[in-house]
Amino acid sequence: MMVILALFIFIAFSPVAALNQQREISPGEKLARADFEKRVKDYVKLRQSVAGKNLPKLSAASTAEQIEAYKLTSQKLISAARPDAKPADLFTPDIAGIIRGLIKAEFKGRERQELRQTVLEADTQGVPLRVNYVYPETKELTQIPAPLLLELPPLPEELRYRFVGRHLLLVDRENNVIIDYMLNALP
């Protein structure tokens, strides 16, 4: 009996079990996540529509100049297709509050200090916190830690989360256009 109890305790409190335990999501959070995912999908559809009509296909043999011209044209087309884009178009107040809560819950004590230190030490000074602006290629791309990435609403391959200081950005992976941002995401 003691062996069974010890085995149960080991399994229940093992790191694998902790990863497999999903936190309960409230109906309000489900709605906010679904709304965010819809907004993200709408952006991706717009992006694909703009690219499909206006951008030539790149091949494996494309030169660096062709790739750079494609990227610059893509940036201009995306910005032109979203002239009224503003902060909180995707990061609505509901999902922003949820994301802040997830970050706060995921990183506590020393882990939060280490995350803040990593994020704040990154060379992101001068990155514009503006929708439809380009994330400068000369600036560091701060990666989102894997445990947090597992908790955040998933993104399609076209988009990435990025920290700039304490702020969280949603950036187009292909052309580095800042799609949206939320202030003070990192506690």
Side-chain angles (χ1 to χ4, degrees), residues 78-144:
I78 291 296
S79 295
R82 305 174 68 229
D84 299 326
K86 60 190 178 312
D89 280 350
L90 280 82
F91 284 135
T92 62
D94 289 341
I95 199 67
I98 290 166
I99 290 172
R100 284 185 189 100
L102 290 171
I103 294 170
K104 190 173 184 179
E106 187 65 36
F107 295 95
K108 298 178 182 171
R110 183 173 173 85
E111 288 177 334
R112 185 179 300 162
Q113 290 173 339
E114 289 173 4
L115 175 63
R116 284 184 71 144
Q117 182 177 357
T118 300
V119 168
L120 296 176
E121 284 179 355
D123 180 22
T124 58
Q125 189 172 16
V127 172
L129 289 180
R130 298 190 67 180
V131 173
N132 281 346
Y133 275 63
V134 176
Y135 193 107
E137 289 184 20
T138 58
K139 296 299 177 181
E140 194 171 343
L141 297 173
T142 307
Q143 300 297 323
I144 304 298

Side-chain angles (χ1 to χ4, degrees), residues 13-108:
F13 294 101
S14 72
V16 172
L19 287 175
N20 289 331
Q21 291 177 354
Q22 300 229 341
R23 66 180 182 80
E24 194 167 320
I25 297 176
S26 72
E29 182 175 342
K30 285 180 185 177
L31 285 173
R33 282 176 174 262
D35 180 58
F36 177 74
E37 288 174 13
K38 180 192 177 306
R39 290 168 186 267
V40 166
K41 285 179 184 174
D42 288 346
Y43 168 77
V44 172
K45 284 180 193 172
L46 172 74
R47 178 186 187 272
Q48 290 170 342
S49 171
V50 167
K53 293 177 189 172
N54 303 297
L55 291 173
K57 300 286 184 215
L58 289 176
S59 69
S62 296
T63 65
E65 293 81 18
Q66 290 170 321
I67 294 169
E68 187 61 24
Y70 178 93
K71 191 165 147 183
L72 291 172
T73 303
S74 175
Q75 291 167 349
K76 290 176 186 174
L77 290 170
I78 291 296
S79 295
R82 305 174 68 229
D84 299 326
K86 60 190 178 312
D89 280 350
L90 280 82
F91 284 135
T92 62
D94 289 341
I95 199 67
I98 290 166
I99 290 172
R100 284 185 189 100
L102 290 171
I103 294 170
K104 190 173 184 179
E106 187 65 36
F107 295 95
K108 298 178 182 171

